[in-house]
Amino acid sequence: MKKDSRLNRKQVEVLQDMFARSLQGESMENIAKSHGISRKTLSLWKNTLHGIQLHKEFRLEHSRESSTSIFFDVLEAKMKGGNMQALELYAKIHDMFPSKKQEIIMETKESKIVEEGLTEDILKDIDALLEN
C-alpha cells in the first residue's frame, strides 16, 4: 500500500477501533486478529498519510474529552502542595484575575509633627477640614 493511499470506510473503522483499544493497552496483534487481518496490514494502514491524519484527529478529540479530567486532577494535586504557579493557572482558567492588570500605589506622607510641632500649614488644613 502506498503512503499516500486513501483508506476506505472499513479500513477507517478498523483504525479508529485500534486507536481506542490501544489506549486501553491492547496490542496491535490482538486488534488485527479480531478484525481478521494481519498486524502488518494494520500497521500499513496506520502509516499511510490518511491513517496518520486519522490518528492525529483521534488524539485531538480524545485529549479534549479525557484530558480535562486528568489535567484538573494533576492541577488540584499541585495546588494542594502549595504550588503557586498551579494556583495562578487555576485562577486564570476560572477567570479569577481581573481582565486588566491594575497597580495600586499608596503613598504615605510622614508627618514630622513630633519633631517640628504643628506648623501653620497643618493648622490651616485642620481648620479647613473642620469647617466642612
Side-chain angles (χ1 to χ4, degrees), residues 125-132:
D125 288 341
I126 292 172
D127 285 340
L129 289 170
L130 291 173
E131 289 176 8
N132 292 332

Side-chain angles (χ1 to χ4, degrees), residues 18-31:
M18 185 210 61
F19 299 148
R21 289 167 63 182
S22 64
L23 281 178
Q24 297 167 349
E26 199 165 342
S27 70
M28 280 182 67
E29 184 83 31
N30 288 340
I31 297 167

Side-chain angles (χ1 to χ4, degrees), residues 1-6 46-52:
M1 174 169 263
K2 292 183 181 179
K3 185 92 171 159
D4 62 348
S5 295
R6 190 93 179 135
K46 179 184 171 201
N47 292 318
T48 63
L49 295 177
H50 190 196
I52 291 168

Side-chain angles (χ1 to χ4, degrees), residues 82-100:
N83 184 310
M84 292 307 290
Q85 289 174 324
L87 291 168
E88 183 178 340
L89 178 58
Y90 182 86
K92 285 179 181 177
I93 289 168
H94 292 286
D95 203 22
M96 297 169 134
F97 281 136
S99 58
K100 295 179 182 175

Side-chain angles (χ1 to χ4, degrees), residues 5-131:
S5 295
R6 190 93 179 135
L7 301 172
N8 65 35
R9 187 180 55 80
K10 177 68 176 159
Q11 292 167 325
V12 169
E13 288 173 3
V14 170
L15 278 182
Q16 288 174 336
D17 182 55
M18 185 210 61
F19 299 148
R21 289 167 63 182
S22 64
L23 281 178
Q24 297 167 349
E26 199 165 342
S27 70
M28 280 182 67
E29 184 83 31
N30 288 340
I31 297 167
K33 275 184 189 175
S34 72
H35 288 284
I37 58 174
S38 71
R39 189 210 51 80
K40 185 176 179 179
T41 299
L42 185 57
S43 183
L44 286 172
W45 294 351
K46 179 184 171 201
N47 292 318
T48 63
L49 295 177
H50 190 196
I52 291 168
Q53 181 60 37
L54 289 170
H55 194 219
K56 213 180 276 187
E57 290 168 6
F58 174 83
R59 286 186 307 199
L60 183 61
E61 185 61 32
H62 182 267
S63 70
R64 284 186 188 127
E65 292 171 2
S66 67
S67 67
T68 302
S69 163
I70 295 167
F71 173 80
F72 281 109
D73 290 346
V74 170
L75 185 59
E76 184 178 353
K78 297 259 183 198
M79 287 188 316
K80 284 181 181 174
N83 184 310
M84 292 307 290
Q85 289 174 324
L87 291 168
E88 183 178 340
L89 178 58
Y90 182 86
K92 285 179 181 177
I93 289 168
H94 292 286
D95 203 22
M96 297 169 134
F97 281 136
S99 58
K100 295 179 182 175
K101 288 186 177 181
Q102 297 175 346
E103 187 173 330
I104 300 172
I105 300 173
M106 296 177 60
E107 291 182 26
T108 58
K109 295 181 181 177
E110 291 187 26
S111 176
K112 297 183 179 181
I113 295 174
V114 175
E115 293 99 17
E116 298 176 0
L118 291 175
T119 64
E120 201 165 312
D121 289 336
I122 294 174
L123 288 173
K124 284 181 187 175
D125 288 341
I126 292 172
D127 285 340
L129 289 170
L130 291 173
E131 289 176 8

